[in-house]
Amino acid sequence: MKENKQSGATPEQNGVEESTKGFPVVTEQDEADAASFEMKKRNPDGSWVAASPVHVASGSAESAAEEEPVMQEPEEEPKAQEEPAEQTEAAEPEAGAPEAGEPEMDEPEEESEDEPEAPRKKSKGKRIAAAVVGAAAVVVIGFSAYVYSYSGIFPGVRVADEYKLSGMTQDEAQTYISAEVQSGIFNKEIKLTGKDLGTDSDKEYTIQVSDVAEAVDSATSAQQAYLIGREGNYFQRVGTVLNSMFSGWDVSLNATVKDGSIAGKVDEIAADLTYDPVQPSWEVNKETAELRVDTGKQGLGFDKEKAVSDLTARVQAINLDDYTIETYAVDQEKPDAKAIAEDVNCDPQNATVDKSDGKTVIEAVDGVKIEESAISSAIGDAKEQTYTIPVELTEAKIKKADLEQVLFRDTLASATTYYNSGQTSRTTNLRLAANACDGTILNPGEEFSYNDVVGERTAARGYRSAIIFQDGQEVEGLGGGVCQPSSTIYMATLRADLDVTERYNHQFQVTYTPVSQDAAVAWGSKDFKFVNDTDYPIKLDISVGGGALTVRIIGTKTVDKEVSLYAKTYASGSYKHATLYKTVTVNGESTTNKENSSSYLLK
């Protein structure tokens, strides 16, 4: 069945001069067309021709042209003149005499005996035509009166495809839409389907209309319904009413959407339906000496903004048809041979200790070697899920079991300096810095930074003002005395033969260390650093008390090593210059190297 839908446009947008809720705007041509219906008649030979227009006026139909007079039927002959019933032969009529039941007519001259009885048939046709035209006129006038006088919404008008509004007033329709229609629609749901391309299966979801819609626009829909058949000229109005009656006419219905509600529903669906791609991964199997590369997996996504836009438009228009979410694959990255090689290639690493407790030993890591070109060649176009590639392994020297037996077994070196405990502010600073360094653990290869471990020296952290060296003078400064722990640690690292990576001397030679064995520090500018270049973890053990500061470096001795230090000094102008040398003796063999150079202002 053909459906007619109300556009929702205003009368003026539909080409009507003004809204015609009552009678339409009818032009003179409309009146002439409405009052004149063309009829057709059939000739004796069977052909059809146009008859004279019939005017419709005052509930009757009259021919526009002058009609031929209709011949009256002759009166019925008296019974006495009837032929006896048993008469076998009918009396022949006189030539030219009309047959019984026909009106007498003047014969045309020289009329043939075989000429058909046209006059009688023509007369009947005219009467029938007149009757048809009259009946049609009555129907047209009656239907026109119905169209222009009917006060309710015309039959066949409905809203939301299934709710009939026929016979209602505009106010009744508005009340009905805002109550029963809205309730019925809000109890419905929109079904959504999205395909998981990874499993080639469909996932289904629903959105309850009441969760996303606030209210329907009952006023506009009721007005549109009432205007069906009440806009346009005569023929437009009549045609619209007829279409509505026989084919139905659906009036649009709109709803207000709750802010953010549809976006929230789409986010919930996306959380279940979509997933991120699995990026390539790899690992080295030490038992088989193989590198295993997994190329990953595609993800799944869909355009959430489009889905929100589409569903919002559907809810607004009360279009509750099923909705298909258009999903698409999200490609993972292709395995990067260079990145894989950089990640897996490593030197062997000895077992280490967990610095959080200083006791738990972490297993060693064997060294791995593989060429980038070997990885690239094996993976190729990465169409397979996994690839295995041989690698070269190098075992670490010290395993977990080995380290557990010797962890922090030996004192590698120690150093002691002295301080005046009567200088309470300086002693407080010295103690705070020493305590911060006490217990610090360095696994093989790790670097110690004094400033990182001690932190900024501030009053909020308990540091006090004491004598410091600044711009060639002794002045009061916050944190004076923190250089003594750094210098004492430096003295211990020299004797443990550890690798010192950053060290500065003071502006003036200090009294608590031998010449050129001090380590000045300043927050943000000067730091003291060294690296644990042994094969085992080391730990700082620091004690403060009785005017003495002692630092011990505890680790694991692997060889008998002796370290001796001496300095060469000379004065030049306002400075005293010193060069420190370190002699290391291992298994009876000695090596002497320059350790540092220092320059001090002379007082």
Side-chain angles (χ1 to χ4, degrees):
M1 178 180 289
K2 177 183 175 183
E3 286 194 359
N4 299 284
K5 293 189 178 289
Q6 174 71 7
S7 67
T10 64
E12 291 75 9
Q13 292 171 332
N14 286 327
V16 181
E17 295 180 1
E18 59 180 306
S19 177
T20 53
K21 296 181 181 179
F23 290 93
V25 176
V26 181
T27 65
E28 293 181 1
Q29 184 61 42
D30 290 337
E31 293 177 347
D33 292 341
S36 209
F37 294 84
E38 182 181 68
M39 301 295 296
K40 291 183 181 291
K41 67 180 181 178
R42 173 176 262 174
N43 286 331
D45 60 0
S47 63
W48 291 87
V49 296
S52 300
V54 176
H55 295 303
V56 180
S58 302
S60 63
E62 297 180 355
S63 174
E66 184 175 349
E67 295 185 2
E68 296 183 13
V70 180
M71 302 298 294
Q72 294 184 351
E73 297 283 343
E75 295 181 0
E76 189 177 353
E77 294 183 359
K79 292 182 180 180
Q81 296 180 1
E82 292 181 358
E83 292 291 335
E86 64 274 5
Q87 186 174 350
T88 59
E89 290 183 9
E92 289 190 10
E94 294 183 10
E99 296 182 0
E102 288 187 18
E104 294 186 3
M105 299 179 63
D106 292 337
E107 290 187 28
E109 293 183 0
E110 298 180 358
E111 185 176 4
S112 171
E113 293 181 356
D114 296 330
E115 185 170 345
E117 302 171 359
R120 180 173 178 271
K121 292 181 179 179
K122 180 178 180 182
S123 175
K124 287 184 178 180
K126 289 183 178 181
R127 288 199 300 274
I128 292 172
V132 170
V133 171
V138 171
V139 171
V140 170
I141 292 173
F143 188 73
S144 299
Y146 166 75
V147 170
Y148 280 91
S149 63
Y150 189 67
S151 61
I153 294 174
F154 286 107
V157 178
R158 59 183 180 266
V159 68
D161 294 325
E162 58 181 295
Y163 298 95
K164 298 178 181 179
L165 305 178
S166 304
M168 297 183 186
T169 65
Q170 182 172 330
D171 290 341
E172 290 172 343
Q174 181 174 344
T175 301
Y176 175 67
I177 294 171
S178 63
E180 284 84 351
V181 175
Q182 176 171 299
S183 177
I185 290 173
F186 279 22
N187 283 331
K188 296 183 179 181
E189 58 188 20
I190 300 176
K191 294 182 180 180
L192 304 94
T193 303
K195 181 176 288 294
D196 185 341
L197 302 178
T199 60
D200 194 29
S201 60
D202 289 332
K203 285 191 172 183
E204 296 183 351
Y205 307 90
T206 59
I207 294 179
Q208 188 74 25
V209 176
S210 59
D211 291 340
V212 296
E214 285 185 330
V216 298
D217 186 357
S218 58
T220 299
S221 295
Q223 182 185 41
Q224 290 177 356
Y226 184 76
L227 290 177
I228 300 300
R230 289 183 169 86
E231 293 183 312
N233 59 35
Y234 170 81
F235 296 104
Q236 291 172 329
R237 293 186 63 171
V238 170
T240 300
V241 173
L242 288 173
N243 278 337
S244 177
M245 292 175 68
F246 290 103
S247 300
W249 200 291
D250 194 49
V251 175
S252 62
L253 180 63
N254 295 320
T256 303
V257 177
K258 296 178 182 177
D259 289 343
S261 60
I262 292 180
K265 294 294 182 182
V266 171
D267 285 341
E268 292 177 6
I269 293 172
D272 178 74
L273 178 61
T274 64
Y275 46 86
D276 293 331
V278 177
Q279 300 299 342
S281 60
W282 51 87
E283 63 178 353
V284 175
N285 187 328
K286 300 294 181 65
E287 294 181 359
T288 61
E290 289 179 330
L291 168 66
R292 184 179 184 276
V293 178
D294 189 302
T295 56
K297 182 181 177 182
Q298 286 183 324
L300 187 72
F302 68 87
D303 190 338
K304 293 200 297 183
E305 290 186 3
K306 181 179 184 300
V308 170
S309 177
D310 290 348
L311 291 170
T312 299
R314 281 171 173 253
V315 174
Q316 287 175 337
I318 313 298
N319 176 3
L320 308 183
D321 293 341
D322 294 352
Y323 181 77
T324 301
I325 301 171
E326 299 175 359
T327 57
Y328 54 82
V330 180
D331 291 333
Q332 73 274 35
E333 297 176 2
K334 185 178 178 180
D336 186 340
K338 181 179 180 181
I340 296 173
E342 290 178 350
D343 180 66
V344 302
N345 281 327
C346 65
D347 294 328
Q349 298 176 18
N350 292 330
T352 57
V353 65
D354 185 346
K355 294 192 290 185
S356 64
D357 61 11
K359 298 177 180 179
T360 304
V361 176
I362 301 171
E363 185 56 272
V365 178
D366 293 337
V368 178
K369 183 178 181 181
I370 186 172
E371 297 296 331
E372 176 186 335
S373 58
I375 301 173
S376 179
S377 177
I379 293 175
D381 54 10
K383 289 186 177 180
E384 300 297 328
Q385 186 65 50
T386 59
Y387 297 88
T388 56
I389 312 162
V391 298
E392 180 182 341
L393 297 179
T394 303
E395 288 190 15
K397 294 179 181 180
I398 303 171
K399 303 292 186 177
K400 179 179 179 181
D402 301 328
L403 179 59
E404 287 175 336
Q405 296 178 8
V406 298
L407 179 65
F408 302 138
R409 183 187 62 184
D410 306 312
T411 298
L412 303 183
S414 65
T416 300
T417 59
Y418 300 92
Y419 61 91
N420 183 355
S421 58
Q423 298 175 338
T424 56
S425 293
R426 186 179 186 281
T427 301
T428 297
N429 297 338
L430 178 151
R431 190 181 297 276
L432 286 173
N435 289 342
C437 296
D438 183 35
T440 299
I441 296 174
L442 298 177
N443 279 308
E446 292 183 342
E447 184 179 54
F448 171 85
S449 166
Y450 187 82
N451 281 340
D452 287 348
V453 173
V454 174
E456 186 175 3
R457 280 68 81 179
T458 64
R461 299 183 63 221
Y463 285 93
R464 301 180 181 181
S465 181
I467 296 296
I468 62 173
F469 298 145
Q470 183 175 327
D471 297 330
Q473 298 191 11
E474 294 182 357
V475 296
E476 288 279 332
L478 195 63
V482 297
C483 291
Q484 186 163 345
S486 62
S487 297
T488 309
I489 295 172
Y490 177 49
M491 290 173 61
T493 61
L494 290 173
R495 288 154 179 78
D497 193 29
L498 298 176
D499 182 19
V500 177
T501 54
E502 183 175 349
R503 173 262 172 186
Y504 302 91
N505 61 270
H506 288 80
Q507 292 181 2
F508 297 99
Q509 183 179 348
V510 296
T511 58
Y512 51 79
T513 70
V515 66
S516 206
Q517 294 186 37
D518 59 324
V521 292
W523 179 257
S525 59
K526 295 179 180 181
D527 199 359
F528 166 61
K529 298 178 181 180
F530 69 93
V531 173
N532 175 14
D533 55 354
T534 74
D535 293 333
Y536 296 89
I538 62 174
K539 177 171 64 175
L540 297 181
D541 181 24
I542 303 176
S543 61
V544 179
L549 169 62
T550 300
V551 175
R552 292 195 309 150
I553 299 178
I554 301 174
T556 303
K557 284 185 177 182
T558 58
V559 294
D560 290 331
K561 180 186 293 188
E562 293 182 3
V563 177
S564 61
L565 300 164
Y566 68 94
K568 292 181 177 180
T569 63
Y570 67 94
S572 175
S574 301
Y575 288 91
K576 176 182 180 180
H577 302 284
T579 302
L580 182 67
Y581 294 91
K582 181 171 67 175
T583 300
V584 179
T585 303
V586 178
N587 297 328
E589 294 184 6
S590 299
T591 303
T592 301
N593 291 302
K594 175 183 175 182
E595 184 65 25
N596 67 44
S597 295
S598 304
S599 296
Y600 303 98
L601 279 172
L602 296 173
K603 293 183 180 180

